[in-house]
Amino acid sequence: MPTITYRDRRHELETYFDRTAVDAWARLTSDAPVGGIRAAVRAGRDTMRGTLLSWLPQDLTGARILDAGCGTGALAVEAAARGAHVVGVDLSEKLVDLARERTASFAGPGRLEFRVGDLLDPVLGRFDHVVAMDSLIHYRADDMVRVLAALSRQTTGSIVFTFAPRTPLLSLLHAVGRLFPRSDRAPAIEPVGDGGLSRRIAVDPTLVAWSRARSLRVSRSFYISQAMELVRT
């Protein structure tokens, strides 16, 4: 199971998004004008969301999908529009409230359900597919693999997720971020090496029935994220 490091970081994220960043996040995930850096981040997130959705079956009728770290619900809406029953879960009550508000008029063939809580809560049930877009990037590689192993016990088809690849730019930003007073920092992104992560996944006993499939890096200025697909074999 995830360690105390995971639990501590989870608490930091909950506090950050509910008390510090909710207004900025609401603006970033809307159509409102934003500055150059945020515009690049928005474009990168749009590209990544499209990538992860393209790795799911086109027809999701009857499929049950977990949107782990759903934020304001953009990915959940697109999956539900293709027929899925999507359960979106996020630690931030304010972001979940915003997701519910933005999707109140949804009338697609699928179904949307948003919850506040931990993405590993067994009460969420079992799923055909799990999507975790930029929700694991704050965790160290060992904790990330533990999360993936726990999710695999609830998933029958695939897990598509993102991590922060270890690049010179991300490593520099990570180091600089630690110079700020703790009260002024966003929860740190933890750069992870692709090869090291893949090796950890390959030797994890819970993930022995899963294999790495597709992988793709999206880089848009200050947005750098890598997608990976695990499929049950």
Side-chain angles (χ1 to χ4, degrees), residues 56-220:
L56 299 177
Q58 183 58 40
D59 184 359
L60 291 171
T61 303
R64 198 164 189 267
I65 292 177
L66 176 64
D67 184 359
C70 64
T72 58
L75 188 147
V77 168
E78 293 190 46
R82 285 157 53 180
H85 172 192
V86 185
V87 177
V89 62
D90 202 285
L91 292 170
S92 170
E93 182 176 2
K94 291 184 178 179
L95 290 183
V96 169
D97 285 345
L98 189 55
R100 289 170 176 157
E101 177 184 327
R102 288 183 176 180
T103 61
S105 61
F106 176 76
R111 176 183 169 193
L112 288 167
E113 178 183 349
F114 292 107
R115 301 188 187 186
V116 179
D118 193 311
L119 58 85
L120 297 182
D121 190 342
V123 172
L124 296 173
R126 294 186 61 79
F127 298 91
D128 297 287
H129 305 280
V130 170
V131 182
M133 177 176 154
D134 294 349
S135 53
L136 304 183
I137 61 175
H138 301 282
Y139 300 107
R140 296 173 181 171
D142 287 342
D143 272 326
M144 191 182 301
V145 173
R146 291 185 182 101
V147 169
L148 293 171
L151 290 172
S152 74
R153 299 186 186 100
Q154 299 170 245
T155 312
T156 60
S158 69
I159 302 172
V160 294
F161 67 99
T162 64
F163 61 95
R166 184 172 288 123
T167 67
L169 176 59
L170 273 183
S171 296
L172 175 62
L173 294 174
H174 183 261
V176 170
R178 292 191 178 280
L179 298 177
F180 288 93
R182 182 171 295 276
S183 60
D184 294 337
R185 300 183 205 160
I189 289 173
E190 297 284 351
V192 175
D194 186 356
L197 178 60
S198 294
R199 286 190 292 272
R200 284 178 170 88
I201 290 171
V203 301
D204 186 276
T206 306
L207 294 169
V208 67
W210 293 75
S211 62
R212 170 176 164 160
R214 289 168 283 196
S215 182
L216 179 72
R217 183 174 299 182
V218 173
S219 182
R220 299 287 188 278

